[in-house]
Amino acid sequence: MRILVDLDGVIGDIDKAFIEVWKERYPDAPAPEPGTRKEFYIGHEFGDDAGEKAYDIFREKGFFRHTPLMPDAKDALQKMITAGHEVYIVTSAGNDIPYAASDKYQWIDNNFGREWVDRLVITRSKHVVSGDVLIDDKPEVKNHDKANWEHIIFDASYNRHIKNKRRLGWSNWKEVLFP
Ligand SMILES: [Mg+2]
């Protein structure tokens, strides 16, 4: 099986990274607790000008490089490889977020090792990448109807309204992928 895995919110704990910077920079502004937000785009959670402030954090050099690993994600991906599956990390890097691509390259190298950089696909058009499944926390992946993969939702507080897709976490990935 060829398994495509999203990075932010799936193998990288972007919420943890973001909220830490946010609280440090805007100590008086409201900040959600990790694992509770209802909006997929984290800046939308705070309203008014918070979206722009959030974007400024994403645009900073090194932000994505310092994202902590999601618990059990690395173990799961390594087990997929050991079991003979092809695994690719498919992640987007916004054209207005200049360091995202290089930071993510570094992040894979630092957390998974150099050979995993060959498994990195950076694109905002995930539908053009071929695979059997895409594990992604985004409620609706753009152009998913044109893709040949099945979107499996990576469970998060902001995608629980999606009921028509298989749902997976790193504690039950084997049962969901191979029922
Ligand atoms: Mg994501």
Side-chain angles (χ1 to χ4, degrees):
M1 194 186 266
R2 183 181 296 159
I3 303 167
L4 312 176
V5 186
D6 174 36
L7 200 165
D8 299 320
V10 176
I11 60 171
D13 194 343
I14 191 99
D15 273 28
K16 200 169 178 186
F18 176 82
I19 290 168
E20 198 178 297
V21 177
W22 179 267
K23 281 182 169 169
E24 188 185 289
R25 202 150 307 172
Y26 306 108
D28 301 324
E33 287 305 307
T36 62
R37 69 182 158 109
K38 293 282 177 274
E39 296 280 348
F40 174 73
Y41 292 105
I42 196 161
H44 295 181
E45 194 85 9
F46 315 116
D48 299 335
D49 64 336
E52 260 318 295
K53 284 180 181 165
Y55 244 84
D56 286 342
I57 292 173
F58 293 139
R59 287 190 193 106
E60 286 169 18
K61 189 174 186 174
F63 172 73
F64 287 97
R65 192 154 29 103
H66 296 116
T67 303
L69 262 171
M70 199 70 99
D72 302 322
K74 186 175 177 179
D75 180 64
L77 266 54
Q78 283 170 334
K79 284 192 169 124
M80 289 172 190
I81 297 286
T82 305
H85 301 290
E86 282 184 275
V87 178
Y88 288 94
I89 295 160
V90 184
T91 182
S92 68
N95 57 20
D96 54 351
I97 305 184
Y99 301 107
S102 53
D103 273 351
K104 288 179 177 196
Y105 182 105
Q106 282 284 322
W107 188 87
I108 296 291
D109 191 8
N110 293 343
N111 288 284
F112 284 79
R114 181 62 51 91
E115 67 279 11
W116 276 80
V117 172
D118 291 342
R119 302 179 187 281
L120 175 62
V121 180
I122 298 180
T123 180
R124 293 185 87 184
S125 302
K126 294 183 181 181
H127 67 288
V128 305
V129 184
S130 98
D132 294 289
V133 295
L134 169 70
I135 300 169
D136 201 305
D137 61 316
K138 195 171 189 177
E140 299 287 347
V141 178
K142 196 175 64 169
N143 291 322
H144 61 91
D145 53 321
K146 297 182 183 129
N148 72 348
W149 35 254
E150 173 196 352
H151 177 200
I152 297 184
I153 285 270
F154 188 81
D155 183 52
S157 57
Y158 45 84
N159 62 33
R160 302 249 161 85
H161 59 289
I162 302 293
K163 307 285 186 199
N164 60 344
K165 293 172 186 172
R166 291 198 280 166
R167 175 174 295 274
L168 161 162
W170 293 130
S171 58
N172 70 349
W173 65 273
K174 277 187 195 162
E175 295 90 86
V176 177
L177 274 185
F178 311 109

